[in-house]
Amino acid sequence: MVTQTDKPGHGRTIAVFGASGHTGRFMVAQLLRRGFAPLAIGRDIAKMTESGFQDSNVPIRSASIDDPSSLDCSLAGAAAVINCAGPFLDTAGAVAAAALRARIHYLDVTAEQPSAQAIFDRFGDAATDTGIVFIPAMGFYGGFADLLATAAMGNWDSADEIRLGIALDSWRPTQGTRITGQRNTARRLVIEDGKLVPLEQPAPQTSWDFPEPFGRQDVSEVPFSEVPVIARHLRVARLRSYLNNTPLCDLRDSTTPPPIAADEKGRSAQTFLVDVVVRNGSKISRAIARGRDIYAFTAPLVVEAVERILDGRARGSGALAPGVAFDSTDFLRALTPEYLTFELRAD
């Protein structure tokens, strides 16, 4: 269903599935800011209409993952689709299959390990044969850590260990985050002896000395979709991912409210720091990034990827990790200083 006349995008028409969701609205706004022509796609046309897209002359289309023909119609005229509709265990396969039928690029923002792995396994060969790019987990949880780890490794062929620490000053989860958490019951994976293995239970607890402003934090081992993404291309014997306990307490409290806009861009006041430590023997390399609002930050992260794919700066085709598709250091620096501060250190 199309509720207003679609305008030609001249190769810069980008479909956003799940556009009326919290992250989806940031994605549409970022696409507009970067000169793209977004198509807002959702399952609930009433909710789509209430989201105000028509005020920005953004076409609205409805589609269901249970109706392949509706997905095919919704993607007509697009050069790529960004899937923002979780749980991705439910939506990613259907939307990615529609992208393959349409012969357009596919990106999503899943933090779910099984979803990211399924995109690689199911669509990799077909995307390569078709000459399109599929990038699962291009969001804050997943692709961001992969870019940082790849930048930190630099020209090293392998690493003995990668330790990833995420610090949030708070976490006001969206409804989508809560629903995804309930849906995603799969055993989380880490890398040990170069292989994907289940995380031991209960999740290990430790502490992490983050750079300022966070300092020393109690953390829990919480691997997200960065694990299967990093495992695709970095030779690392051991990978561990940690999140500080403060946001975990927020997430586990059912009374924690959703994000509240605190600036003119709709971003919340939440701040984040990601600290990636790569060790190879006695050598240590570190990538440190700071920013604001993990949901809002996902939009420029993904749209930068779309820009690079469409202008020919992606390296190859197929189902790719961000660190394979892009020059990771150049990519991250392109987001500074507006969305990110980023530094590399050799300790």
Side-chain angles (χ1 to χ4, degrees):
M1 174 180 180
V2 183
T3 61
Q4 65 184 80
T5 303
D6 294 333
K7 298 178 180 179
H10 303 294
R12 291 180 68 83
T13 299
I14 309 299
V16 180
F17 187 73
S20 64
H22 188 75
T23 301
R25 291 195 298 273
F26 280 118
M27 202 70 67
V28 170
Q30 183 68 20
L31 286 166
L32 288 169
R33 185 177 186 190
R34 293 283 292 264
F36 289 96
L39 300 173
I41 304 171
R43 292 164 281 190
D44 185 340
I45 196 64
K47 187 176 180 181
M48 296 288 292
T49 302
E50 294 168 358
S51 296
F53 297 124
Q54 291 163 311
D55 296 339
S56 301
N57 295 316
V58 174
I60 298 172
R61 298 178 176 182
S62 65
S64 168
I65 59 172
D66 300 318
D67 183 355
S69 64
S70 74
L71 284 171
D72 293 343
C73 289
S74 73
L75 299 183
V81 58
I82 302 168
N83 183 8
C84 297
F88 294 91
L89 287 166
D90 298 329
T91 68
V95 180
L100 186 62
R101 291 192 298 271
R103 304 175 70 89
I104 65 175
H105 309 294
Y106 170 89
L107 303 91
D108 69 38
V109 296
T110 184
E112 303 153 64
Q113 293 183 345
S115 170
Q117 190 64 56
I119 294 296
F120 287 128
D121 294 343
R122 180 179 170 188
F123 296 101
D125 290 343
T128 300
D129 293 342
T130 308
I132 53 179
V133 176
F134 275 32
I135 303 183
M138 190 63 228
F140 177 83
Y141 292 115
F144 186 37
D146 178 60
L147 289 167
L148 290 166
T150 305
M153 277 195 67
N155 59 4
W156 295 355
D157 292 330
S158 63
D160 296 325
E161 182 180 47
I162 296 175
R163 297 178 73 245
L164 165 68
I166 298 174
L168 311 178
D169 67 347
S170 63
W171 191 353
R172 292 192 167 192
T174 64
Q175 182 183 16
T177 295
R178 291 199 181 280
I179 293 172
T180 297
Q182 295 167 3
R183 174 73 173 84
N184 184 21
T185 58
R187 186 84 175 268
R188 294 176 187 264
L189 301 176
V190 294
I191 296 177
E192 192 66 54
D193 295 327
K195 300 176 182 178
L196 290 169
V197 299
L199 173 67
E200 64 181 278
Q201 296 297 322
Q205 308 285 308
T206 186
S207 59
W208 189 292
D209 289 319
F210 288 96
E212 293 301 326
F214 286 93
R216 191 172 186 83
Q217 297 274 321
D218 293 329
V219 298
S220 299
E221 191 164 356
V222 186
F224 292 100
S225 53
E226 75 283 344
V227 175
V229 173
I230 288 173
R232 296 289 299 182
H233 70 109
L234 295 184
R235 292 177 55 201
V236 55
R238 189 172 192 268
L239 171 62
R240 290 292 185 271
S241 301
Y242 299 90
L243 178 62
N244 62 324
N245 289 342
T246 296
L248 285 174
C249 291
D250 292 338
L251 182 63
R252 291 164 181 163
D253 183 351
S254 62
T255 66
T256 302
I260 298 174
D263 69 9
E264 71 284 353
K265 296 179 181 178
R267 297 183 302 175
S268 73
Q270 178 199 56
T271 59
F272 66 78
L273 187 150
V274 183
D275 187 14
V276 179
V277 182
V278 181
R279 181 179 61 82
N280 190 11
S282 60
K283 297 184 294 184
I284 292 177
S285 180
R286 198 169 185 176
I288 301 165
R290 300 173 177 85
R292 177 174 172 180
D293 190 337
I294 60 175
Y295 297 109
F297 172 69
T298 289
L301 187 67
V302 175
V303 174
E304 179 68 25
V306 170
E307 182 84 64
R308 288 171 182 247
I309 292 169
L310 295 185
D311 69 12
R313 283 183 287 166
R315 299 183 291 206
S317 60
L320 305 177
V324 173
F326 311 114
D327 179 325
S328 56
T329 301
D330 180 71
F331 188 108
L332 292 164
R333 286 179 176 157
L335 298 176
T336 62
E338 185 172 6
Y339 304 107
L340 191 67
T341 65
F342 163 63
E343 60 179 305
L344 292 171
R345 296 180 184 176
D347 294 339

